[in-house]
Structure formats: structure tokens, C-alpha cells
Amino acid sequence: MLTDTRLASDELQRIANELRDNWRTGREVDFEEAIAFHESLPRSKEFATVLESADAPLLQPRAGVPCLEEQIELLRYLQDEGDADLLPTTIDSYTRDNEYEKAEEGLAASRNSPDNELNGFPAVNHGVEDCRRLVRALDAPIEVRHGTPDARLLAMVTLAGGFQSFEGGPISYNIPYTKEHSLAETIEHWQFVDRLCGAYTERGVTINREPFGPLTGTLVPPSIAITVMLIEGLLAATQGVRSLTLGYGQVGNLVQDVAALRALRSLGEDYLPEEVTVTTVFHEWMGGFPPDEARASGVIGLGGATAAVAKPDKVITKSPQEFQGVPTKEANASGLRTTRQLIDMMIEQDIDLGGIDDEQALIERTTHALMDAVFEAGDGDVVQGVINAFDSGELDVPFAPSDAAKGAVLPARDDDGRVRIFEFGDLALPDDIKQIHASRLGERARTEGREESFRMVADDVDAISDGKLIGRPTGDSDLAGGVGDAD
Amino acid sequence: MLTDTRLASDELQRIANELRDNWRTGREVDFEEAIAFHESLPRSKEFATVLESADAPLLQPRAGVPCLEEQIELLRYLQDEGDADLLPTTIDSYTRDNEYEKAEEGLAASRNSPDNELNGFPAVNHGVEDCRRLVRALDAPIEVRHGTPDARLLAMVTLAGGFQSFEGGPISYNIPYTKEHSLAETIEHWQFVDRLCGAYTERGVTINREPFGPLTGTLVPPSIAITVMLIEGLLAATQGVRSLTLGYGQVGNLVQDVAALRALRSLGEDYLPEEVTVTTVFHEWMGGFPPDEARASGVIGLGGATAAVAKPDKVITKSPQEFQGVPTKEANASGLRTTRQLIDMMIEQDIDLGGIDDEQALIERTTHALMDAVFEAGDGDVVQGVINAFDSGELDVPFAPSDAAKGAVLPARDDDGRVRIFEFGDLALPDDIKQIHASRLGERARTEGREESFRMVADDVDAISDGKLIGRPTGDSDLAGGVGDAD
Amino acid sequence: MPETVILGVIGSDAHVVGITILEQALSAAGFEVENLGVQSSQEEFVEAAKAEDAGAVLVSSLYGHARQDCEGFHERLDEAGLDVLTYVGGNLAVGQDDFESTRERFREMGFDRVFDAETDPEEAIASLQRDLQLTTTEPEAVRVDS
Amino acid sequence: MPETVILGVIGSDAHVVGITILEQALSAAGFEVENLGVQSSQEEFVEAAKAEDAGAVLVSSLYGHARQDCEGFHERLDEAGLDVLTYVGGNLAVGQDDFESTRERFREMGFDRVFDAETDPEEAIASLQRDLQLTTTEPEAVRVDS
Ligand code: B12
Ligand code: B12
């Protein structure tokens, strides 16, 4: 039975040896030589060092294109013209599926075409040496950002390739990203990844790990996101990870977002072992964006303002072209600079928001309830606990595409725009907390003169892209919409 | 001696008759027929009605191009694509100088060239009928925005032309806008303008008047701006103006801006006669903008966020191209939509900022001191009071180009980014208030380990365009700068 | 008898929110919806269309690999002897595409209609009703927020 | 003896902040500055240059009418027998201009150097020192924030 225990060294070795044959580049990986490469890097490329010693939120975009030269050019642009403090390399979807053959085709096609045939950088196909070329070519530390349920080979190649931060986790890269992977399977795979990071860490090369906080990006109640962060943090810590960046995706309500980030940091420090350095990352709005760059800049602006107040260690920025597709480098840099301007203008201001403490207390109480349920469901073991809790629906994520989650929880905004829970499913919350959610949503239903319903949820899903925070009924039919074939 | 008394009807008539001959279009003005034209307009074009009945901040851009057809096209674009609630017509600089001959040349040149040879719409040259064409062509109410010390003929033509709101005032369109006009002269001229608005108002056509709150746009301490608003409001009320929109330009500190807008509204209601309907307008940052559209969108975003918290009746938006020159219509609409997105996402949120009440109390106390000084300096008469107070420096505006103001006051930001006064000149403030300013600025000087000096002021002037709020010493020489001929 | 439509996200794409909203709107408009969920293969679409005797197949793709994922789809439908209405929608290309050329491309691949990500469910429903020549139900039923 | 420079905003332009900053920086760098203020006419510039035996005339314009306001300026200087260095800077055209063509235009009008609004005072000072062949003073004196 899979439990929350450290993977033995020989197991790590055995699995690594097996994975090596999954794709040609696996054979290039040599741990000792990789350590030497990392040691050759300047401190300014040490991800954990840079992140943990910063005295203001660091900015990081998302970015990945198929070919190496273009990826270097893209990241250099974001570093120089976007003033990014930390760089990303976003991996393509085929690699995320471990379909290296398809990724190879996409890479070849992209090399022969002006268009990008992959939605990211196929790092496994590029292999260790090309990853190092990338790391060498840039000045800032680079993180692997992906969404891969089984990221073992990706971790082997990219960590040997000089990356010092690796996003994801067994829940956060399962529940929102896949349909059929079981949690037992992804946890087992991520124990390997985390253990590998631990092995580097023990050799003095700290690998930063970053569970993916936004989950489905769509109206995720803070307590659910934080619970997943704590569990993934605990699992990673067991495997020897010592630098953990817990994530949270903006919901758009200033008070709730600041409260959630404070709760995340404080609970992270409470729950995780002392030897782990906990930092936080704030993702600018991860749900549907407005199909208009000017309005999108407004959403990004609110993200920057929120970051200035909450002061997370890192901010993942969005671009004004988020709605339409992978952004141009100019738009990507634009999102960075809009965010920077807001943070720099606001960070020294003493902004003391009423109501944060109450909201933070509610989030913490709710998170404790969910964590308690997880521990109970596993009889004290987090691995079994989280598998069982998701299975029973005691822990759940709204809009989860994965069969591993019930996906019964439905969120909606209250009259103040804070994300509350409308349909609890079997979520392990005490009645008094459910009562608070119900009464806030009841208020809203009264304000709008309609019943709480899936329609309200759907309106909230569309609200920000329609230019509002709360999906109030508008009355008008608004059939305008998009360019379609509706003749 | 000029006093704060209502201009007699025959005087109004006499002056109007004289002005009529200053430019050909003056002779087109017929008051009775103008009343009839206004009465023919739908309620949706009644400026005061629309503004005073709104339940959320209305958005208005700045915009003016020389030719009528292009002005219609521009405003229609801002109305349709920018979702502007209220429209502007910004007047060119020659008209502001009453140089109608030069404006005529510029207009002719603009008609024959793809470039605009004037920086605004020469409404006097266009005349009554063309103004009406403009008013008829758009759906939203339109305001005349200018900067004209002697705006009498402009008012005659544009009000007859169907505009129902007129910006400016004898101080706010003198001190920041000219060098040599005396206050006595501009007050006399604006008594005519206000009386004319009063005459329309008495006939049931309410003309909204909007003193220009931002003054020099550059670190103006709120109390000074508010004092000028109250005085211009009082002068206008005497002449029969009944719809007054008092203005304030963003300084960039959220607490100070919200406090200032609240103080403006509350003092406006206190000082102005009951029969006047007072509304407020918030101008997005009026100082130097960043030379980068992405960063500029950040500044605009902070403006939108501030407006969402302070809830003024109207917001004058900036465009991301503010730095470089008169914006394209697309950029102008962009500024509107970025602002709108922030307001709409934040307006329903209950944002309760600590420290507002204290800051508001300080602003109100300071404003009372300045108002008292004005009343005293005029022995109870506001007109004489304001002339004398500016003359002695008891009332003053930083960076005033006008000989009518001492321009001795120098502002600087404190450690929180609030605008304080560094050099008082002869400003009529009691010692305890001066003490507060001095101690806040002393704190900052200590933080930065440097003396308070003009250098600090200069750094603050550049700060927002350099991407910060406070002009901290950076250490690096930053000779990069602009495209020049420095070979 | 209500018309059955097959709905799903193709390839390894996991963007589920759009089809969740679409499913709800289509059901509210009176369609029988078979929602395959995310990461559905071409086979799954074909089999479902056959099994349910569907009137239309609605393919969703957001993540940028739609072209690759849909390649050969219509050949497969043909082989299965299915002459079913096919729609595709979402963010169909990687990057900031020009939608007109993207639409052209997917039309050539055999889709009857191609929709961008700004499409409201109402538009899809109106098109379905037209293409399937359904007698328009009460206008209230067409609206989702009714 | 310190070199005298004439500074002012031309035409009916009232943007005073830029020249206020420039004046302070030029003085700190050791120049004698005659600041005419805003809304100065061509005559005022010419007379001041003559009266002060100035080494350079710095014309500022922000509001977009620089071309009109500067027309004939160099002819006037010639008539007054002045062979003085002339700079112009600010937002020299109405709208979103291409600075290169704006610069070309003002060069043709006779200005020795043309600066955009991104110009730091330091750049203007460095250029003046070069053009007036001043022995560079201590580097500290060149910097404004020293
Ligand atoms: C939320 C989100 C996520 C969530 C998804 C959670 C989940 N499981 O659903 C997470 C964070 C997990 C995610 C992951 C990824 N995402 Co994503 N995501 C988004 C985002 C922000 C919103 C999507 C959304 O939910 N919209 C709301 C719903 C209601 O709208 P919709 O999906 O567009 O659907 C409507 C219409 O499109 C239409 N429609 C859709 N399909 C069809 C079909 C038919 C027939 C019809 C008629 C209509 C129709 O009707 C729907 C209802 O109104 C979009 C950008 C955006 N739109 O703002 C990016 C976006 C779609 N993602 C993108 C990418 C690249 C990814 C990743 C590959 C990489 C990454 N960034 O990590 C991974 C892919 C993972 C995977 N295997 O699929 C890109 C796609 C790029 C492209 N095409 O060029 C986008 C556009 C972001 C961007 N600008 O880069 N994403
Ligand atoms: C503050 C401001 C105002 C204030 C001015 C107060 C005052 N009396 O000074 C107010 C609100 C009154 C105002 C009015 C107007 N303004 Co104004 N204003 C600005 C703003 C926002 C900042 C200017 C500023 O103070 N910058 C800070 C200082 C330190 O920088 P600077 O002036 O650029 O100067 C530096 C450099 O340019 C350079 N430099 C300048 N001159 C020279 C000369 C030489 C030789 C050299 C070497 C260097 C140099 O060095 C300086 C120091 O670093 C600018 C836009 C912007 N930049 O963000 C618009 C702007 C200049 N204004 C503009 C306009 C059109 C007007 C008005 C005509 C219309 C209106 N909107 O009401 C009126 C004109 C009034 C008049 N008669 O002049 C336009 C000009 C458009 C164009 N050229 O296409 C601008 C660009 C705004 C815009 N995008 O539309 N304005």
C-alpha cells in the first residue's frame, strides 16, 4: 500500500534506470555530472536562492515555444524587455502526455514551418544539452512549468539540464489536467520526482518545487486550493524537498485574495516541517479572460494591485492576449510591465484592508477541517488520506475533469464577489461553515431575485470575461458574441 | 472693485454684444433659439441629468481633433468602442489664446493634410451650427474641455451649439495654463461665463460647470486643489450655476486619493449653497506618464481601482499613449476599457481602507485653514480674497507657470507616497499642520539618508514615469533615456 | 423525441469548463447531450455518435492542438458510415491566429461549422436548430438564462 | 566664467515642469541659466540670447504646436546676427509621431539638436558640454543627483 514514506535510494535508482529507456534523451542523464553542472552556475541562476532572498514580489511569466533558438529568444525578450525576475519554460501538451513521439513530430514540423505546431517546449525531446544551452543563455533562474501527471522523465532530463525549479504535484497536475489517471498512480510518480529533487537538494543543489495552486483556475474556493497545497507540500517534504513555493490563483476579490495568501503562508509554515523554506506564489486570474486586450490589462492590473497588498514572494503574470491563445512575446512582456508598475507604485503604501482577518480566519478554519478529514481518511497517512478523501468527495475540486475527483462541488460568488460554495457534495465541512456559505449566497440570490442554480455558477464563470466580477443577471439577451459560422 | 456679486443682466448682454464681433461665428449666437435647440435634445443628452442620476462612476475621455467629421468619428468611436458614458470636446491651444485667426489657419491646414495641425477642436471657428452637428451626431452628452483663460466667446458659441457642460474656472484655467493673465481679469471673464450658464439654467437648461481640479497635475497637495475647487464653486454659484462638478487629480496614493475625494465631496456640500447640486470628478494621474503603454496601463489601472473605492460621480480617463502625444482613438478607447474593467470588477466589493478618516480629517482641516485665509484676505469677499491670497502666497499652487501665483510651494512624497508640502512659502497654514508635513517628510529623508531638497521633488516628479511612486535615490546613473541627438 | 448531440474535448486537452457550460445550455434547450468529457479520442466520438444515433457531434478544443487532434476525423466518420453534422469550436490554433484562416482550415477538414472562443452557447444552439431543422421550441427554451 | 544658456517654453505652451527640472539640472551642472518661463515668444528668446551673450538657446515645447511656433526662428536669429547653438525638445508633434521624421523636420528648420520627451537632463548637459567644448567639470558636477 502506497504511503507517505521516503522512496528508498535503490528504488529511485531502479525507476530512473527504467525511465532512461523511454526516450533517447533519458540516457544522457548523469546525476553526478548534473550536480557538477549546477555547481558551475552563478548564484543569480539559483532559483531557490534568488526567490528566497527577494525583498519584493518577483515576477515570472509563462512561456514556451517548440524550438530551442526561439525559446532562448523568447525568454531573453521577457528578461530584458519584460524585466522578468524569474523565467519559465512551459512544456507542450504531448510531452505532458508522455507522447514523445508525437512531440518529436510537432517539433520537426515547427522547425520546418513559421507556425508553432506545439503549444510548448518539448524538453524531453530537446534533451539535457539543449536544456543547458537554454539555462546558460539566460541570466535569470528558469523553472519547468508543465501540467504533466507522470513527469518523471521530464524531471530527470530538465533537472540534469540545469533547471532548478519544477512546478506541479500529484494532485494539482492530476485533478485539473487529466481524466483517467488515478491519484495513487500520480502520487507514486511524484514521489519519484520529489525524491529526485530531494537527492539534488541533499547534494547542495536546492531544487525549488512549486505545487500548482490555481487547480482548475475557475472559482476555486481558497480553502480547497490551500488544502491541496499543504498536502502536496507534506508529500514533497517527506521526499526531501526543502524549498517549497505554495501557490494560489487570484479570485478577484481583493479582501479574499489577500486573506487567502496570508492563510496560505501561515498554514504552510504551520503544517510543513521546519526544515522546509516556504514561499508563496500568486497567480494572476486563471479563469476565462476578456476577449479584449484593454480589459485584460484591467484584470492584470487588479492582479498587480492585489500582489502589492498581499506581498507574495512571486507573482505569475498573465498577458493581455490570454483570451485568444499563446501570447506574442510583446504581449507577454506587456503583462509583466503592467503588473510591475502597479506593484512598484503600491508596494510602499500602507494599505490596511478591513475584513481581512475575518476572512483569513474563515479560510483557515475551513482548511483545518479539510486537512483533518484527510488525515482521518488515511488513519494518519496523508497519501491514503488524500486518495480516500477524493474518492469519497470529502475533498473535491470544482470543475475537475478527472475521474479521480467527484467534481460535485460548485462555487459561486457572494454579493461582495467572494467565492463561496454553493453545492458542497460530500465536502468534509462542519455545518457552521456550510451555514456561512449558504447565508452569503442566499443574500446574493435575494439581491438578484433569483434562485441559486447552475445558471448562477455559469454566469460567474463568464463574468470576468464579460467585464464584471459577479455574474449578475443582465436582462438583455447578448447574442452578439463571437465570430462563428452562425450565418 | 471686482466683487463676488452677480453680473447684472444688462452687463451680460452688453459684454455678449461686444464679444459677438470678435469672430464671425459670434454673430450666429441667439440665446432664445439656443434654448429651443437644447429643449429639442433628448434627456440622454442632458449632461447634468445623466451625471447626477448615475449610480456608478461615469467614464469620460479627453479628445479633440481639428475637423468636424473627424471629431464626430472620434467621439463615436469612443462612445461605441470605448463605452464612454460622457463625451468631451477638447479645444485647441490657439482658441485657448483667443487666436482665432491662427486657429483658422491650423484648421485649414488640417483639412488639407493627413496630419492634425491643431491639438484640439477649434469650436469658435466651427461655429454654432457645426457644434450642433456634433451634438446631434452622438448619443451621449458632450462637455467642452479646454484651458482657456478668457473663454467667454467659446462659451457663447459652444453653449448655443448644444454643449451642456463647460470645464474650467478663473483660477484653474489661469494658474496652470498661462503666464501673464491676472486673476482679476480671469475672474471677471469667468463671471461672464458662469452668468451665461446661470442664464441657461434659469431657463430650464441646466449647464453643468466643472472647475479643473488637477491644476498643474504635478504633485498638487489635495487641500490646495480642494480650496481652489471650493472657491470656483462659490463664484459659479453666485452667478447662478446649479450643477457643479468639483475635480481632483489622482496623486497615486490610494488612501490619500480616497480621502481627498471624500473631503472634496463633503466640503463641497458644506461650502456651496444648498440649491447647487455637487458632484465630483476624479482625473486619472495627470502628471508625467511612463513612456511605455504597458506601464501606462498600470497607472490607469491604479486610477480605476482608486475610483472603484472612492466612487466619484465621474472619472476622466487617460490613455496608454499619454506620454507621447495626443492618443489614437484606439488607445483612447483602451484607457476607457481598462478603467471600466477595474471599476466593474471592484465596485461591488466592500473595501474598507484603514487610515482614510485621519487623512481626510487632515485634508479638511488644511482646506479650512486655506479657506479661512481667503475669506480674511478679502474681508469676507471671495473674489478679493482669492486675488489677495494668491498675491501674498497665502494660497499657492506648486509648479504654477503663472505670474499670478507665487509658485513657491514645493510638494514631495512622504514614505508612504502621500503628497506633503516640503516648502510652504507663505502658505496660510497653522504651525501644527506644517509640523505634520515636516515630520512625514523628515521620516522619508531619514529613510533615504539624504536631505530634503529640490532634488527630492524632481525625483518625485519623474517617479511614476520611471515606474515607481516615490522618487527614491537609485544609485545608478541611468543615462539611458530617450532618443535624442546626443551622439 | 429530443435530438441527441455528442459533446467532448478532443485529444489530450483537459479544458473542461467550456463543455460543462455547453452541456448545461444544450440540455436546457432541449437536446439530449452525451458528454464524453475531456481527453476524448476520435474513436470515442465516432462510437458515441453511432451508438446514440446522434444528430450532431460537437468537438471542443482549447489548448492549441486541434488541427493535429482532428486530422482524419471525418474519414473515420465516413468509414463508420455516419453522415452527421459536425461542429468544432474553442481556441483552435496555437497563438494569436487570424480566425478566418483557421476557420477555412477546419472547413476544409470537413467540419460543417467552426466557432471561436467568443461563441456563446446560444449561438451554437441557434445553429444546431437551424441545421437540424428543428421546429424552434418556445423562445424561452432557447435562452439559457430563462 | 560660466556659460549662459537661454531656456524657455515657446508659443502659448504652458507646460512648465520640464523646464523647471531642466533649469535646476543645468544650474547644478554649472551653467548660468536664463529661464524665460512658459509662453515665450521667438523675440523673447532672441533678445535674451543677445542680451546675455548666450552660448546656447534651449527651446522646449510639449503641447504639439512646436512646428508652427518655431517657424522662422532661425531667420530671426540670423537677422539679429546671432550664431548661437540651438536645441529643441519635448513632445514636438501632435499625436503619436515617428520621432525620426520629427527630428528631421526640426533639423531642417535649423536646430542643432532635437530631443524627444524621454530625454533626461543629463543627456542635454552632456551634449551642451560637447558642443560648447567645455572642459568637462568633475563628473559629480555633471550628475544632477550628486
Ligand atoms: C482555465 C484555463 C486552464 C485551466 C483548465 C482547467 C480545466 N481543466 O478546465 C488549466 C490551468 C488547467 C489550464 C491548462 C492549460 N492551458 Co489553459 N486556459 C484556461 C483559460 C484561462 C480559460 C478557459 C476557460 O475555462 N474558459 C471559460 C469557458 C467557459 O470558455 P471556453 O473554454 O472558451 O468555452 C466556450 C467557448 O470557447 C465555446 N466553445 C468551446 N468549445 C466549443 C465547441 C463548439 C462546437 C462550440 C460551438 C463552442 C465551443 O463555448 C464555450 C462556452 O461558452 C484559457 C484562456 C482564456 N480563455 O481566458 C486558457 C487557454 C485555453 N489555455 C491554454 C494552454 C496553452 C494551456 C496549457 C497547454 C498550458 C498551460 N498554460 O499550462 C494547459 C493544457 C492542459 C491540458 N492538457 O489541456 C491556452 C491555449 C493556447 C492556444 N490555443 O493558443 C489558453 C488560450 C491560454 C493562453 N492564452 O495561452 N488552462
Ligand atoms: C502635466 C501635463 C499638463 C499640465 C501642465 C501643467 C503645467 N503648467 O506645467 C496641464 C494639465 C495644465 C496640461 C495642459 C495641456 N496639455 Co498637457 N500634459 C501634461 C503631461 C501629463 C506631463 C508633462 C510633464 O510635466 N512631464 C514631466 C516633465 C518633467 O517632463 P517633460 O515636460 O516631458 O520635460 C522633460 C523632457 O521632455 C525634456 N525636455 C523638455 N523640453 C526640452 C527642451 C530641450 C531643449 C531638451 C534638451 C529637453 C527637453 O526634459 C524635461 C525634463 O526631463 C504630458 C504627458 C506626459 N508626458 O505624460 C501632457 C501633454 C504634454 N499635454 C498635452 C496637451 C495636448 C495639453 C493641452 C493642449 C490640452 C489638454 N489636455 O488640456 C493643454 C495645453 C495647455 C497649454 N497652454 O500649454 C499633450 C501634448 C500632445 C502632443 N504633443 O501631441 C501631452 C503629451 C498629453 C497627451 N498625450 O495628449 N498638461
Side-chain angles (χ1 to χ4, degrees), chain A residues 33-78:
Chain A
E33 183 261 1
I35 295 283
F37 177 74
H38 280 279
E39 284 169 345
S40 76
L41 295 175
R43 280 174 66 83
S44 57
K45 294 190 190 183
E46 290 175 15
F47 205 99
T49 306
V50 171
L51 177 62
E52 291 163 8
S53 66
D55 49 14
L58 300 183
L59 303 196
Q60 184 179 21
R62 290 189 177 75
V65 288
C67 303
L68 177 65
E69 287 314 315
E70 279 85 64
Q71 179 69 359
I72 291 176
E73 200 191 302
L74 172 58
L75 294 189
R76 194 172 283 147
Y77 187 88
L78 295 172

Side-chain angles (χ1 to χ4, degrees), chain A residues 350-364:
Chain A
D350 176 18
I351 293 174
D352 167 27
L353 282 168
I356 301 239
D357 293 347
D358 287 350
E359 188 66 38
Q360 184 179 346
L362 177 63
I363 293 170
E364 294 190 1

